[in-house]
Amino acid sequence: MDGSGIFLSAGVFLVHMEPVDRLKKLYEVLSPVMDERVTRLWAAAEAEAIGRSGVTVVTLATGILHKRIVAGKRELEALRTSPQQALAQGRTRRHGGGRKALEVHDPGLVKALEELIDPVTRGDPMSPLRWTCKSSHRLAAELSKSGHPVGATKVRMLLGELGYTLQSNRKTREGNQHPERDAQFQHINRQAKAFQKRGQPVISVDTKKKELLGDFKNGGREWQPGGKPEPVRVHDFLDKELGKAVPYGVYDVIRNDGWVSVGNNHDTAEFAVESIRRWWLRMGRQGYPGAKELLVTADGGGSNGSRTRLWKAELQKLSDETGLDIQVAHYPPGTSKWNKIEHRMFCHITQNWRGRPLLSLETVVNLIAATTTKQGLHIRAAPDRTVYQKARVVSDEQMAQLKLRRSRVRGLWNYRISPNG
């Protein structure tokens, strides 16, 4: 295919996408066949076509420096006025030429930025429309103080690559929220850093959405032979023989790996803690042979809810078995999508099985275990066919026997369970 064919097919395919996403995809298609000069001119032409803020939009979408696009715009103007002279004077930088990106010279810059904005990010972390309370100038100043000299322009570029976007003030209201929400986020962040510094494990736990088992349609698209889509049922009625898959995940925040137990009956607190137990026996204790304590971050409701008595009783059993001091920090109500496991593990699992019918429990387990990322995410999974009893009651007497200490601050959400004896 010649260059014009590439431009045409890419343009038709991407015409309905939002400007930044469209340009990003278009740049990914075209960059392998464009030299430095053509890239510069193409970026300038796109910026001119967008109009106001066009240079900023193109920079956010492609990472091409602002000054390169401005130089390209000057060259386009010269081509319009004196085409022969401009063509004769135009230069093409050799491959690999120019100053290296700042993150190449300072490999820890991006990680430092992520750590700086992590506890103060807002919006839906599963969506690209995230934003941070701190301005780019303030972030640049704090990074420079911590040994990563950087300017506000570079910070804005890196934020764009990390999926953040500018939002106006009218977008900041997210409905009713708990008054202690931000304080609890800060607490979880401090505890996670303290555990990491001591070399103790930090895990994020949650139940993934239940999935129908059988030849049902699954969202997304997958490559298939032309005109031969995989046939699935028209109606999504539960297959009583196969039931549903109930994936409960454990994500190791420090090691970037995880465990998923896939049940097929009830999502109970006993099932949740059993999943943590299996993670510890098969992954956790090998990764942390000297561990004496464990930090568990979890949602405020569901099988691992802050008010669920069975959750605490089962954690006491786990603490007694392993000898670990188990510290629990719950996310405030209405903030379940901020849980690390949602956007560090579950989202990649969903992408991995998109467009594929989940025919059986084994299919779900295999697809989960095959999920990887460029950042090195590794997941192990196994079925859990235990039938867990619903509505198990934990009496006041049983609760009194738990070695549970609540924090003096937000004790409903923060507590520690120690081994008996």
Side-chain angles (χ1 to χ4, degrees):
M1 180 183 293
D2 61 15
S4 61
I6 295 174
F7 273 91
L8 179 61
S9 61
V12 171
F13 179 72
L14 300 167
V15 69
H16 296 298
M17 299 182 69
E18 292 298 324
V20 173
D21 290 337
R22 180 187 69 82
L23 286 172
K24 185 176 180 180
K25 293 293 185 183
L26 195 57
Y27 184 61
E28 290 174 356
V29 172
L30 299 174
S31 58
V33 298
M34 296 191 298
D35 61 24
E36 190 274 335
R37 188 185 187 197
V38 174
T39 301
R40 183 171 69 244
L41 295 175
W42 169 81
E46 290 286 356
E48 287 188 353
I50 293 171
R52 186 178 180 182
S53 302
V55 174
T56 301
V57 172
V58 175
T59 297
L60 287 175
T62 65
I64 299 173
L65 292 178
H66 184 281
K67 62 182 181 181
R68 281 185 67 196
I69 301 174
V70 172
K73 292 178 73 174
R74 288 197 298 266
E75 195 168 347
L76 284 178
E77 182 62 29
L79 281 170
R80 283 190 285 264
T81 56
S82 304
Q84 296 298 329
Q85 183 180 358
L87 286 172
Q89 294 178 350
R91 67 175 183 84
T92 301
R93 188 173 63 198
R94 65 180 175 82
H95 180 70
R99 187 171 59 183
K100 301 300 181 184
L102 186 58
E103 56 267 37
V104 175
H105 293 290
D106 184 0
L109 174 62
V110 175
K111 183 178 180 181
L113 176 60
E114 285 187 297
E115 290 179 351
L116 193 58
I117 62 177
D118 186 55
V120 291
T121 53
R122 294 176 181 256
D124 182 352
M126 301 292 286
S127 163
L129 296 179
R130 290 183 287 164
W131 57 284
T132 174
C133 299
K134 295 184 178 181
S135 70
S136 55
H137 289 278
R138 184 177 173 188
L139 288 168
E142 293 186 29
L143 285 168
S144 298
K145 287 181 183 178
S146 62
H148 301 280
V150 64
T153 301
K154 184 64 177 181
V155 167
R156 285 194 293 271
M157 186 185 302
L158 292 175
L159 287 173
E161 292 174 359
L162 292 172
Y164 290 84
T165 183
L166 292 172
Q167 298 287 317
S168 62
N169 289 339
R170 65 180 179 274
K171 297 286 188 179
T172 61
R173 294 196 61 186
E174 299 166 349
N176 294 331
Q177 64 183 43
H178 198 284
E180 295 287 332
R181 190 191 80 158
D182 288 349
Q184 180 65 2
F185 282 164
Q186 296 285 355
H187 171 78
I188 293 173
N189 188 58
R190 287 193 300 270
Q191 290 300 311
K193 285 186 174 181
F195 269 68
Q196 183 175 1
K197 189 175 181 179
R198 296 196 297 268
Q200 303 299 303
V202 180
I203 59 174
S204 170
V205 301
D206 197 12
T207 308
K208 194 181 185 307
K209 181 175 73 72
K210 296 179 181 179
E211 302 286 350
L212 288 172
L213 294 177
D215 53 342
F216 298 102
K217 180 179 179 180
N218 199 356
R221 296 184 296 175
E222 187 64 18
W223 290 106
Q224 297 283 355
K228 296 182 180 179
E230 188 164 352
V232 294
R233 302 188 194 189
V234 175
H235 301 291
D236 294 342
F237 297 128
L238 176 68
D239 186 319
K240 293 184 179 180
E241 291 186 6
L242 295 174
K244 292 184 177 182
V246 186
Y248 191 93
V250 181
Y251 174 68
D252 186 332
V253 175
I254 299 172
R255 294 170 56 86
N256 191 33
D257 58 26
W259 169 269
V260 180
S261 287
V262 185
N264 64 346
N265 50 86
H266 304 304
D267 177 23
T268 69
E270 187 179 4
F271 170 56
V273 176
E274 176 60 25
S275 301
I276 299 175
R277 179 181 288 108
R278 294 187 182 195
W279 164 79
W280 175 252
L281 293 176
R282 304 188 190 190
M283 299 181 74
R285 63 181 178 182
Q286 288 85 6
Y288 304 92
K292 300 184 185 312
E293 51 188 342
L294 170 67
L295 175 60
V296 180
T297 61
D299 292 348
S303 58
N304 45 228
S306 60
R307 298 178 183 274
T308 305
R309 287 187 168 194
L310 184 58
W311 161 254
K312 299 179 179 68
E314 291 297 321
L315 283 178
Q316 181 68 70
K317 292 180 182 178
L318 179 62
S319 177
D320 293 343
E321 294 169 14
T322 61
L324 293 170
D325 261 350
I326 301 177
Q327 184 169 323
V328 183
H330 290 278
Y331 285 91
T335 63
S336 62
K337 284 190 178 294
W338 278 259
N339 199 337
K340 290 287 186 188
I341 195 171
E342 291 283 354
H343 48 98
R344 295 282 182 86
M345 192 169 87
F346 283 166
C347 65
H348 300 298
I349 292 172
T350 301
Q351 285 293 317
N352 193 53
W353 68 31
R354 70 187 187 280
R356 303 184 188 182
L358 306 177
L359 300 175
S360 65
L361 205 65
E362 287 72 22
T363 302
V364 174
V365 169
N366 291 334
L367 288 171
I368 290 174
T371 302
T372 58
T373 67
K374 292 181 180 178
Q375 289 72 35
L377 175 66
H378 170 66
I379 306 174
R380 293 178 62 184
D384 184 348
R385 299 185 183 278
T386 307
V387 177
Y388 293 98
Q389 178 185 344
K390 293 181 67 176
R392 277 185 53 195
V393 177
V394 177
S395 66
D396 292 342
E397 291 75 13
Q398 290 174 302
M399 288 297 296
Q401 295 174 5
L402 303 184
K403 199 169 181 180
L404 185 150
R405 291 171 292 164
R406 295 191 180 275
S407 171
R408 289 176 294 179
V409 180
R410 296 178 295 278
L412 177 63
W413 298 340
N414 304 298
Y415 48 89
R416 180 182 290 266
I417 296 176
S418 302
N420 281 307

